[in-house]
Amino acid sequence: MNYFTTTSQPSKRAVDCAIVGIYDRGKLGAGASDIDSASGGEIRRLVKRGDISSKLARCTMLTNVPGIKADRVIVAGLGKRADFGAAQLRKVLAAATRLISETKTRQVLNCLSLESVSRTSRYYVARHSAEAIGDALYRFTEMKSGRKPAASALKKVGFCIAKRSDASDTRLGAEHGGAIVIGASLARDLGNLPANVCNPSYLARTARKLATGNGKLSTRVLTEAEMRRLGMGSLLSVTAGTKEPAKLIVMQYKGERNEKPVVLVGKGVTFDTGGISLKPGPSMDEMKFDMCGAASVIGVMAAVAALELPINLNVIVPAVENMPSGKATKPGDIVKSMSGQTIEVLNTDAEGRLILCDALTYARRFKPAAIIDVATLTGACVIALGAHRSAVMSNTDALRDELVDAGARAGDLAWPMPLGGDYEEQLKSNFADMANIGGPAGGAVTAATFLGKFTDGLTWAHMDIAGTAWKSGAQKGATGRPVPLLSEMLLARCGALP
Ligand code: BES
Ligand code: MN
Ligand code: ZN
């Protein structure tokens, strides 16, 4: 997507479509007001007739508006002026974009960047706008046969600004938003692909492809033999039942010379049947999304590489398929992790933690400044927080706050949950150093507590994205979360925010 800024009046700019807004009780936004005057009161006339609604995200498309240069005008409902914040802005632009994508509009002028958006700077107004438009244009048609619906014609998004001095922050916000869309779209594609296409080898190929031709980025893929030599008995126990070879994907981005890296670890279970502790049938197809943690950290890497951020970032993806078979791990089996600790596998469906613990141990060699694992780890997290917020657990309060705050700024919400302490009791095993499950009570917390046994001495956080990574039902599909949250955290860390 191309972005530009302009200080000219919306009515004087020749574009395929201009987006303007109207608040409740007929109050016109800045762009609507300008177009209304230039057209001799066209917008007010239509409002009076009841043909234009100010209800949030209700959009009306006008053509042949006299006295202006734009071919089309979308008048978007902005709701109550006092309530117009970043989330409302995103909703409105998503709706406007859906309307635009049904037309042949190639350039659009977003006049909503002239509005004051509560508690949102010019930079974030532009970034949220670029993200909302990009997300709304996303389509997943790869697996459909026959003639594919044409990709949207939209190639250029302009931002109206009130004064020249708003240009640099607006342009930066749009550029960052565009990169986040690239990362989130990649994450959504990987999530939406079926497990018979997106298997561990496919994830490895995708990671390799991202690195080709990029001098700052390299990808290494470890095979099962190499993992066996490293002593990753826990990870390998999950892949025992499948014919698909497991991979440990290691991506390194060097944008800085001498800094310790941030390490992101993403759960890459390309399909989770539960193994011998087989899952029930209904909705099992959704377990193709059990690699969304992996998809999101690869997506973040794509965004960081696109922006060439001055930061060091490593991404580690343990990629496996969890299947039952005559060779599969059985409940009660005891495995030895790379850390040396032994684990009694009481439930083969608690497999995410079994691959993550070895990936976390492996990550120690990079001496991370901070390490964050991202995983669709527990159904219990969906019960606790639903689809609205990802859970954040950490052994370091500052890192936990950093992630939750980044999520709030990015509009990709998260919430803190506890860890360790009393919850350790639930992981006791009569036979091994620990069990891999802690019972149904506090399931999201005991899962994080399990991982905490492998992160001694590291500045570590865990994100459970089981509720946020994908949508079920008619809108079934990957969301690309938490790519915006993690990107925001990295942008802040390397001083790239205004
Ligand atoms: N991938 C699932 C978690 C999950 C389930 C995410 C449903 C989203 C929706 C994970 O591997 C799993 O099966 N967890 C078990 C753990 C239990 C056996 C302790 C769960 O949550 O039921
Ligand atoms: Mn499972
Ligand atoms: Zn799983």
Side-chain angles (χ1 to χ4, degrees):
M1 190 65 75
N2 274 303
Y3 303 105
F4 66 94
T5 60
T6 175
T7 51
S8 66
Q9 288 173 316
S11 58
K12 299 208 170 118
R13 191 86 197 199
V15 287
D16 293 341
C17 183
I19 303 172
V20 302
I22 174 172
Y23 297 99
D24 278 355
R25 305 182 38 238
K27 285 185 218 145
L28 302 186
S33 180
D34 170 57
I35 284 179
D36 186 61
S37 330
S39 63
E42 185 73 1
I43 293 184
R44 281 187 202 282
R45 197 173 61 77
L46 290 168
V47 172
K48 223 173 249 159
R49 283 210 327 196
D51 291 354
I52 288 178
S53 166
S54 66
K55 203 167 159 243
L56 188 69
R58 190 64 65 78
C59 291
T60 312
M61 186 179 285
L62 312 178
T63 51
N64 299 318
V65 178
I68 69 162
K69 292 233 171 105
D71 281 347
R72 307 172 182 81
V73 176
I74 288 180
V75 186
L78 306 182
K80 267 205 200 127
R81 182 168 240 156
D83 295 346
F84 192 64
Q88 287 71 25
L89 172 70
R90 289 181 80 125
K91 237 183 218 164
V92 168
L93 283 174
T97 303
R98 282 194 291 273
L99 205 53
I100 285 168
S101 62
E102 287 162 18
T103 70
K104 292 197 171 139
T105 297
R106 295 189 323 175
Q107 344 99 13
V108 66
L109 186 63
N110 171 23
C111 304
L112 302 184
S113 43
L114 292 167
E115 301 307 307
S116 67
V117 182
S118 85
R119 285 173 299 162
T120 310
S121 67
R122 289 299 111 194
Y123 165 82
Y124 283 104
V125 166
R127 199 171 108 189
H128 285 299
S129 300
E131 285 184 43
I133 292 168
D135 286 348
L137 290 174
Y138 176 84
R139 297 281 180 282
F140 182 75
T141 55
E142 231 168 297
M143 305 307 295
K144 301 263 193 201
S145 69
R147 263 207 19 232
K148 311 262 166 99
S152 150
L154 190 60
K155 292 283 161 324
K156 220 169 171 182
V157 177
F159 292 85
C160 278
I161 52 175
K163 45 191 196 306
R164 273 276 113 221
S165 58
D166 286 342
S168 64
D169 280 1
T170 299
R171 215 171 295 130
L172 192 69
E175 191 193 316
H176 288 177
I180 290 167
V181 169
I182 290 174
S185 301
L186 173 59
R188 293 171 80 177
D189 280 345
L190 291 172
N192 289 334
L193 281 169
N196 62 331
V197 175
C198 183
N199 52 32
S201 306
Y202 185 94
L203 286 179
R205 275 202 302 282
T206 305
R208 278 221 176 87
K209 235 190 264 162
L210 262 184
T212 40
N214 186 326
K216 291 181 180 169
L217 183 59
S218 61
T219 297
R220 236 191 106 199
V221 178
L222 278 66
T223 61
E224 287 183 11
E226 289 167 293
M227 290 189 261
R228 197 158 298 118
R229 281 199 286 279
L230 286 165
M232 296 187 165
S234 182
L235 187 158
L236 291 169
S237 76
V238 177
T239 197
T242 180
K243 287 188 171 162
E244 286 298 334
K247 306 283 175 189
L248 186 74
I249 304 162
V250 182
M251 307 176 78
Q252 280 188 277
Y253 170 85
K254 285 201 162 75
E256 249 291 314
R257 242 188 255 189
N258 297 317
E259 251 179 39
K260 288 181 174 172
V262 171
V263 178
L264 300 177
V265 180
K267 172 178 173 182
V269 176
T270 58
F271 197 82
D272 181 14
T273 64
I276 296 298
S277 314
L278 193 64
K279 285 183 181 296
S283 301
M284 207 211 273
D285 67 289
E286 296 190 9
M287 282 299 114
K288 73 171 182 176
F289 294 118
D290 211 16
M291 33 55 69
C292 282
S296 72
V297 297
I298 293 172
V300 170
M301 185 58 99
V304 164
L307 293 173
E308 299 187 61
L309 292 187
I311 195 168
N312 290 335
L313 175 68
N314 291 1
V315 156
I316 302 177
V317 170
V320 304
E321 190 179 71
N322 186 22
M323 293 283 275
S325 87
K327 291 194 168 166
T329 299
K330 304 168 289 299
D333 284 2
I334 293 178
V335 300
K336 190 168 198 154
S337 68
M338 184 181 173
S339 74
Q341 300 177 93
T342 58
I343 304 161
E344 186 183 13
V345 182
L346 289 175
N347 190 320
T348 63
D349 197 11
E351 84 298 340
R353 61 198 81 180
L354 294 176
I355 65 171
L356 288 169
C357 69
D358 279 344
L360 287 165
T361 301
Y362 178 82
R364 284 178 183 273
R365 66 186 56 206
F366 299 118
K367 307 213 166 3
I371 179 163
I372 302 150
D373 75 78
V374 186
T376 50
L377 204 61
T378 64
C381 185
V382 189
I383 304 298
L385 296 179
H388 303 293
R389 290 175 190 255
S390 306
V392 183
M393 295 82 158
S394 178
N395 59 10
T396 309
D397 288 357
L399 180 60
R400 189 187 58 204
D401 294 349
E402 186 181 352
L403 288 163
V404 172
D405 292 349
R409 294 195 303 274
D412 179 5
L413 301 180
W415 199 250
M417 301 254 273
L419 176 74
D422 301 341
Y423 294 93
E424 305 247 355
E425 299 289 322
Q426 288 171 242
L427 293 172
K428 286 209 164 124
S429 160
N430 284 355
F431 306 108
D433 296 343
M434 68 191 89
N436 78 326
I437 55 169
V445 178
T446 52
T449 300
F450 176 94
L451 296 175
K453 291 180 174 291
F454 300 84
T455 57
D456 261 1
L458 295 171
T459 301
W460 160 75
H462 159 66
M463 292 191 68
D464 196 331
I465 59 165
T468 54
W470 76 88
K471 291 181 181 162
S472 306
Q475 306 289 324
K476 194 192 288 183
T479 60
R481 292 175 70 180
V483 170
L485 179 155
L486 293 169
S487 303
E488 170 73 15
M489 182 235 188
L490 296 171
L491 285 165
R493 274 208 172 212
C494 71
L497 296 175

